[in-house]
Amino acid sequence: MTKPLIPFISQLPLVEQLQWVERLNQLMPNVNVTIASAIEAIDKSQCELAIVANPLPEELLSFTHLIWVQSLWAGVERLVSEIENPSFEIVRLVDPCLAQTMADAVVAWSYYLHRDMPLYASQQKNKHWLQHRVSLTTECTIGVLGLGELGLASAKKLALNGFNVLGWSQQEKAGENMQCYVGPSGLHQVISQSDIVVILLPLTDKTTDLLDKTLFSLMKSGAGLINFSRGKIINDNDLMSALTNGIISHAVLDVFAQEPLPVENSLWSHPNVTVLPHISAPTNIDTACNIVKNNIDEFFLTRQFPPSIDLAKGY
Ligand code: NAP
């Protein structure tokens, strides 16, 4: 019996694609994962599922009989925006290891802001010896916008470190051992009480430009901002104004409207901005391959696949 053929569709460098394909085929000897460009047109219609990482939309759509696609990324905003009304379901990577990597990043950069590291770095440049009061983590309120796989893991880790955590999500969250808010008024409450605001929302119609001058004007003066999900959730012009007028003392940005961040973008050289090259929670090939294997094994056993993106909600 021939093995089910699974295209690997990606714009990653070929050497990386080959690493993924080799690893997946080792883990799943019962299927044949093949780089999409090597699959003959005549064989494409037998493919029921694809494994994707930033696929070219036209290449993905050339597989006309797909039932579902497994993304190797946790965020699938690009895929959702590039393919209108797909005839297949989109399953994103849900990896507890990735959630912990993100939670570690959120805790690390929250401490960076909480312990005034940007301030001490600038004092050092000026050889200026000046001690500032060290506040307790319990005195620091951190608002986490988005309480999904990544936001919830981050909020829990922040709480374990003693921070006072507030959360904001689309639907009410019960029993999460933190104060959770929903809706526009809930967002205003979180924003206005937080010393640090962490963005872990998906980019959707509702979250595009969510952090604009209206919301910045509600923030505590001198608050910190961490954006680890998608750049377009922040209005960059309004962010610049908020940095200039001191509403935001420092922003840690891992994601941008355009990536890589263009060299002429003034965020690069802003003294109160830390620019990171989208590294807060990269996919880990080992844990991701095991998750993909389990999902695919389950599909061939039961014809069931994991919960997919709700296209109406956009995430
Ligand atoms: P998720 O599990 O889908 O969670 C999304 C959360 O956002 C949910 O809590 C959801 O509320 C909330 N939400 C969505 N729209 C909302 C709205 N309009 N108002 C209030 N809350 C809203 O996503 P995730 O796995 O945590 O990932 C979040 C994002 O992180 C991804 O979409 C991706 O952009 C980004 N990401 C970044 C990196 C990196 O390295 N920088 C890595 C991976 C992912 P409900 O719970 O009520 O549905």
Side-chain angles (χ1 to χ4, degrees):
M1 208 175 90
T2 54
K3 296 177 186 181
L5 182 60
I6 302 177
F8 187 93
I9 315 177
S10 173
Q11 296 178 71
L12 288 172
L14 186 59
V15 53
E16 280 182 50
Q17 293 192 45
L18 289 168
Q19 273 170 6
W20 278 100
V21 167
E22 188 187 352
R23 192 74 65 88
L24 288 162
N25 280 322
Q26 273 168 2
L27 277 177
M28 298 185 287
N30 48 334
V31 301
N32 176 7
V33 181
T34 301
I35 301 234
S37 57
I39 298 178
E40 303 281 347
I42 195 167
D43 294 328
K44 289 188 173 182
S45 61
Q46 63 170 278
C47 301
E48 294 182 301
L49 72 114
I51 299 170
V52 303
N54 284 353
L56 270 178
E58 55 271 30
E59 187 162 42
L60 178 54
L61 292 171
S62 73
F63 291 84
T64 49
H65 285 63
L66 294 176
I67 299 170
W68 64 292
V69 305
Q70 168 72 63
S71 171
L72 297 176
W73 304 158
V76 288
E77 285 91 340
R78 188 159 150 192
L79 191 54
V80 169
S81 72
E82 285 179 344
I83 299 185
E84 225 176 297
N85 302 321
S87 55
F88 47 79
E89 302 288 324
I90 299 171
V91 174
R92 71 196 185 95
L93 182 72
V94 176
D95 181 350
C97 168
L98 186 126
Q100 286 312 316
T101 303
M102 179 59 89
D104 287 343
V106 169
V107 169
W109 291 101
S110 294
Y111 271 116
Y112 173 81
L113 297 176
H114 171 64
R115 294 302 297 259
D116 293 323
M117 292 193 205
L119 179 60
Y120 287 113
S122 82
Q123 284 187 195
Q124 184 176 351
K125 267 193 199 133
N126 300 315
K127 302 181 179 166
H128 186 38
W129 182 280
L130 179 64
Q131 297 172 337
H132 302 273
R133 178 179 176 267
V134 176
S135 62
L136 303 175
T137 53
T138 47
E139 296 172 74
C140 178
T141 296
I142 303 190
V144 179
L145 309 185
L147 294 175
E149 300 296 329
L150 307 184
L152 205 50
S154 303
K156 285 180 178 169
K157 212 164 224 182
L158 287 168
L160 278 175
N161 280 269
F163 291 102
N164 177 37
V165 184
L166 310 177
W168 186 68
S169 58
Q170 182 108 299
Q171 284 145 41
E172 304 265 359
K173 298 266 179 288
E176 292 303 349
N177 210 13
M178 78 186 81
Q179 197 131 13
C180 298
Y181 297 82
V182 293
S185 65
L187 178 59
H188 292 183
Q189 293 202 55
V190 173
I191 290 274
S192 59
Q193 294 177 71
S194 297
D195 300 293
I196 299 170
V197 172
V198 178
I199 303 174
L200 280 171
L201 292 161
L203 182 68
T204 65
D205 291 347
K206 284 189 186 166
T207 63
T208 301
D209 269 342
L210 181 73
L211 268 88
D212 63 0
K213 56 177 178 289
T214 310
L215 276 190
F216 287 135
S217 72
L218 298 174
M219 285 176 91
K220 279 186 174 179
S221 178
L225 180 68
I226 296 175
N227 187 7
F228 282 172
S229 63
R230 287 295 180 263
K232 286 182 180 166
I233 295 172
I234 296 179
N235 180 305
D236 279 350
N237 291 333
D238 295 349
L239 170 63
M240 274 297 181
S241 306
L243 285 161
T244 305
N245 61 28
I247 288 178
I248 293 178
S249 58
H250 198 91
V252 179
L253 307 174
D254 184 46
V255 285
F256 302 88
Q258 192 186 341
E259 295 180 11
L261 184 64
V263 285
E264 63 278 9
N265 192 302
S266 44
L267 289 169
W268 275 115
S269 48
H270 197 292
N272 299 330
V273 174
T274 296
V275 170
L276 301 172
H278 204 135
I279 44 80
S280 52
T283 294
N284 175 291
I285 189 167
D286 295 323
T287 56
C289 281
N290 282 323
I291 287 163
V292 170
K293 171 205 164 21
N294 289 340
N295 292 349
I296 291 175
D297 281 354
E298 184 69 16
F299 173 68
F300 285 117
L301 199 65
T302 66
R303 306 295 291 171
Q304 303 290 315
F305 50 84
S308 55
I309 299 299
D310 179 342
L311 291 171
K313 287 201 300 184
Y315 68 97

